[in-house]
Amino acid sequence: MRKDQRQGKYAEGVVKPFGSAIFVTLTAGLACLLLVSGCSHSITVEGRVPTPLIEALPLSIGVITQPSFNSYVHNEELPRGGGSWRIDVGQLNQRFFSTLFDAMFLTAVDAELEACRGSEAPVPSPDCPNGFVQVDLVEYAFLTPALSGLNFFSVSVKYQLTLFGADAQPLGDWIVTGYGKSESRAFQANKALNQASVEAIRDAGARIAIEWPKQAYVSEWIDQYILDRDGRPVM
Amino acid sequence: MPMNPKDKSLFKIAGPSTSIRVATYAALLMLLLSGCATTRIEESRSSTTQLAAGEAMVILGRATYNDRETEESFTDCLEDILSQGSNPIRLVGQKKFKNDLYPWFEPRTAPGNAGDLGRLFSEPGVRDRIRASKIRYLAWIEGDTVTIDSGGSMSCAVSTFGGGCFGMSFWEQDASYEASVWDLETLDASGQISADANGTSYLAGLVVPIPILARPGNAACKGLANQLRSFVGGE
């Protein structure tokens, strides 16, 4: 065999496997990237926080939230290869409920319950609000299309609202569940879950704004602070 | 590199054979015969309508908590068509409307029929907010696109030397939507428009997959949008 032919064959032999090697490496890399990104999801739930269009109750409220509420992160490993999910709900929770209670009451402040223990309703201490509401996130749950068999990401959030009087005594509690869902689109799982989470929080917020003041113990608490024309409490 | 005259034979082999040509003609024929959707539009009017200059309309997709829901892409499509063309309609976006009127148009709290508008408008701020935006008509969109039949088979293979798809698959879709138009001035229902479209899509695998899409959802969107435009225009 001639030298140039051998060289040609040698050159061809080098180039082809080298090209295949690049292709295989790229394919394997892409597959690994897809596998890794498909197995691990990290989301910080973000969304617009609307100001509720409701008439504010003529009361002041102290809003009590635990650190775990404001920094709540849901971690879950889904079965059947659904991957691991880390969902930061706390940041939106904090903003959402702050806006919600600002709209629901004349004044809403972050408050310490202990500082007002011993005050007597219906004449509150000047430094203490008319009452306190403690909000706890009891449960956050979600379903992916693979688990539900539907073409939606679904989210439910369960909150517990506990009302305390001006004297920091508990008056009652109420559990509210919000539900949200969002269409599943290819390669947009995080976006869909974010949207479903926002919808769920909005749904719970809507129920709190409309239904919570109608609960019997809340109505009674409101009534004792609403004054008649003579400036006396209506009992 | 100069071409070897012997390589001419390769072109003959690589050229379209009779069977491929027949298949291509068949695919083109199918495109002409079946790659389209049939649409039926029906209108029912209960009062006269006329969108005055400066007045706006809002299009809302009816959300439910079951597994069926009007797709956001459908209401987006309606908005795109209605806000363009020779006779564009001023539209207020769905998200902006829901945020401005939160919590009154959430899935759980939105009025179910025009009879509920009176109760809704008695809520503080609602009437003023809608009047400020000069929203005259509200169109609720209900419905979805479902696959009612599918069949055929196609297999694809990929290797380092290339790949291809062979076979034929089809799916028949039915798009059924209804728009309920409410007059926010008279707080009454103005009428209903329904759009039903049906079409069969094909995916022919001739080495390269050739999609022949009927897109009944898109056909229903165009039909409903044009009818909605003439409806609120008083035609």
Coordinates of all heavy atoms in Angstrom, one line a residue, chain B residues 34 51 74 90 95 100 121 123 128 130 139 145 149-150 154 184 190 192 200 204-205 212 220 230:
Chain B
S34 N -58.2 16.0 4.5 CA -58.5 15.8 5.9 C -57.8 16.8 6.8 O -58.0 16.9 7.9 CB -58.1 14.4 6.3 OG -58.7 13.5 5.5
L51 N -71.2 48.1 21.5 CA -70.0 48.5 22.2 C -69.7 49.9 21.7 O -69.3 50.1 20.6 CB -68.8 47.6 21.9 CG -67.7 47.6 22.8 CD1 -68.0 47.1 24.2 CD2 -66.6 46.7 22.3
F74 N -56.6 29.2 24.6 CA -57.8 29.5 23.8 C -58.2 31.0 24.1 O -58.5 31.7 23.1 CB -58.9 28.6 24.2 CG -60.1 28.7 23.3 CD1 -60.1 28.1 22.0 CD2 -61.2 29.4 23.6 CE1 -61.2 28.2 21.2 CE2 -62.3 29.6 22.8 CZ -62.3 29.0 21.5
R90 N -61.4 47.1 22.1 CA -60.6 47.3 23.3 C -60.9 46.3 24.3 O -62.0 46.1 24.8 CB -60.9 48.7 23.9 CG -59.9 49.1 25.0 CD -60.0 50.6 25.4 NE -61.1 50.8 26.4 CZ -60.9 50.6 27.7 NH1 -59.7 50.2 28.1 NH2 -61.9 50.9 28.5
K95 N -55.8 38.6 33.3 CA -55.1 38.7 34.6 C -55.3 40.0 35.3 O -55.4 40.1 36.5 CB -53.6 38.4 34.3 CG -53.3 36.9 34.0 CD -51.9 36.7 33.8 CE -51.6 35.2 33.4 NZ -50.3 35.0 32.8
D100 N -57.4 43.2 39.6 CA -58.1 44.4 40.0 C -59.3 44.2 40.8 O -59.7 45.0 41.6 CB -58.5 45.3 38.7 CG -57.3 45.9 38.1 OD1 -56.2 45.9 38.7 OD2 -57.4 46.5 37.0
F121 N -72.2 43.5 42.3 CA -72.1 44.9 42.2 C -72.4 45.7 43.5 O -72.1 46.9 43.6 CB -72.9 45.4 41.0 CG -72.1 45.4 39.7 CD1 -71.6 44.2 39.2 CD2 -71.9 46.5 39.0 CE1 -70.9 44.2 38.0 CE2 -71.2 46.5 37.8 CZ -70.7 45.3 37.3
E123 N -71.2 44.9 46.3 CA -70.0 44.8 47.1 C -69.2 46.1 46.9 O -69.1 46.7 45.8 CB -69.1 43.7 46.7 CG -69.7 42.3 46.9 CD -69.8 41.9 48.4 OE1 -69.2 42.6 49.2 OE2 -70.6 41.0 48.7
D128 N -67.6 50.6 40.9 CA -66.7 51.8 40.6 C -65.4 51.3 39.8 O -65.0 52.0 38.9 CB -66.2 52.5 41.9 CG -67.4 53.2 42.6 OD1 -68.4 53.4 41.9 OD2 -67.3 53.5 43.8
I130 N -65.1 48.7 37.9 CA -65.5 48.2 36.6 C -65.8 49.4 35.7 O -65.4 49.5 34.5 CB -66.6 47.2 36.6 CG1 -66.1 45.9 37.1 CG2 -67.3 47.0 35.2 CD1 -67.2 44.8 37.4
A139 N -67.3 38.4 28.6 CA -67.6 37.1 27.9 C -66.9 36.0 28.7 O -65.7 35.9 28.8 CB -67.0 37.2 26.5
T145 N -60.9 21.3 24.2 CA -60.6 20.5 23.0 C -60.2 19.1 23.5 O -59.3 19.0 24.4 CB -59.5 21.1 22.2 OG1 -59.9 22.4 21.8 CG2 -59.2 20.3 21.0
D149 N -60.8 10.3 19.2 CA -60.4 9.0 18.6 C -59.0 9.1 18.1 O -58.5 10.2 17.8 CB -61.3 8.7 17.4 CG -61.1 7.3 16.8 OD1 -60.6 6.5 17.6 OD2 -61.5 7.0 15.7
S150 N -58.3 8.0 18.2 CA -56.9 7.9 17.7 C -56.6 6.5 17.2 O -57.2 5.6 17.6 CB -55.9 8.4 18.8 OG -56.0 7.5 19.9
M154 N -46.7 4.2 14.6 CA -45.5 4.8 14.0 C -44.4 4.4 14.9 O -44.5 4.4 16.1 CB -45.6 6.3 13.9 CG -44.4 6.9 13.3 SD -44.5 8.6 13.1 CE -45.7 8.7 11.8
L184 N -72.5 44.5 31.5 CA -72.2 45.0 32.9 C -72.9 46.4 33.1 O -72.7 46.9 34.2 CB -70.7 45.1 33.1 CG -69.9 43.8 33.0 CD1 -68.4 44.0 33.3 CD2 -70.5 42.7 33.9
S190 N -76.6 39.0 27.7 CA -76.9 39.5 26.4 C -77.1 38.4 25.4 O -77.8 38.6 24.4 CB -75.8 40.4 25.9 OG -75.7 41.5 26.7
Q192 N -75.6 34.2 23.9 CA -74.6 33.1 23.9 C -74.1 32.8 22.4 O -75.0 32.9 21.5 CB -75.1 31.8 24.5 CG -75.3 32.0 26.0 CD -75.9 30.7 26.6 OE1 -76.7 30.0 26.0 NE2 -75.4 30.4 27.8
T200 N -59.5 15.8 11.9 CA -58.6 14.7 12.1 C -57.2 15.1 11.7 O -57.0 15.6 10.6 CB -59.1 13.5 11.3 OG1 -60.4 13.2 11.7 CG2 -58.2 12.2 11.6
A204 N -47.6 11.2 9.3 CA -47.1 10.2 8.4 C -45.6 10.1 8.5 O -44.9 11.1 8.4 CB -47.5 10.6 6.9
G205 N -45.1 8.9 8.7 CA -43.7 8.7 8.9 C -43.1 8.2 7.6 O -43.2 7.0 7.2
I212 N -49.7 16.4 9.5 CA -50.8 17.1 8.8 C -51.9 17.4 9.9 O -52.7 16.6 10.3 CB -51.4 16.2 7.7 CG1 -50.3 15.8 6.8 CG2 -52.5 16.9 6.9 CD1 -50.6 14.5 5.9
A220 N -62.0 26.8 15.9 CA -63.1 27.2 16.8 C -62.8 28.6 17.4 O -63.7 29.5 17.5 CB -63.2 26.2 18.0
S230 N -68.8 40.6 15.9 CA -70.0 41.1 15.3 C -71.1 41.2 16.3 O -72.0 42.1 16.3 CB -70.5 40.3 14.1 OG -70.8 39.0 14.5

